[in-house]
Amino acid sequence: MIRRAMPMLMLACATESAEATAEIECASEPVVTWENMGEGLMIENCQSCHASTSLNRNGAPDAVIFDTRADVITFRSRILAVTAPETRTMPPSLALSDDDRHLLEVWLECWE
């Protein structure tokens, strides 16, 4: 009995695990780069607090700067964590659209 149930149990666990960790299919996503999206998104949504020249960082850590592509890549995992739909805390205004948030994720996960 257990031997017959085991494959079904393994299949159920695999399906549940795949759904819980839905990954981006990079090959089916648009090519998103610093030049065609990243820089503009950072300027519009992040650099008011995270630019090296920002006069009022509103509590943003001094070391967290998004002036260049390399700066953003350095903080990639933190950016993804604070902009994810489930844990979204940035930008504080939450003005980043779902489409832009998705493109940010695609860029940082697939094309950085």
Side-chain angles (χ1 to χ4, degrees):
M1 175 83 168
I2 292 176
R3 290 181 100 165
R4 279 185 274 163
M6 196 60 139
M8 292 183 70
L9 180 61
M10 290 173 65
L11 179 60
C13 290
T15 303
E16 186 176 320
S17 175
E19 289 172 5
T21 57
E23 302 262 334
I24 292 178
E25 292 280 338
C26 293
S28 65
E29 295 290 345
V31 175
V32 182
T33 65
W34 173 255
E35 293 78 16
N36 73 9
M37 191 281 300
E39 184 176 28
L41 185 135
M42 290 295 145
I43 289 170
E44 188 174 315
N45 295 282
C46 307
Q47 285 192 344
S48 61
C49 299
H50 292 285
S52 60
T53 57
S54 180
L55 299 176
N56 181 0
R57 295 182 59 83
N58 296 305
D62 291 338
V64 182
I65 295 171
F66 302 148
D67 290 347
T68 67
R69 177 189 170 279
D71 293 337
V72 173
I73 298 308
T74 297
F75 295 103
R76 171 179 47 198
S77 62
R78 285 177 69 183
I79 293 168
L80 288 169
V82 299
T83 60
E86 316 78 51
T87 57
R88 173 177 23 177
T89 58
M90 291 290 155
S93 67
L94 303 178
L96 193 60
S97 72
D98 289 340
D99 289 341
D100 282 346
R101 186 172 291 101
H102 178 73
L103 289 174
L104 175 65
E105 182 181 14
V106 169
W107 173 49
L108 294 176
E109 291 287 346
C110 301
W111 310 112
E112 63 80 17

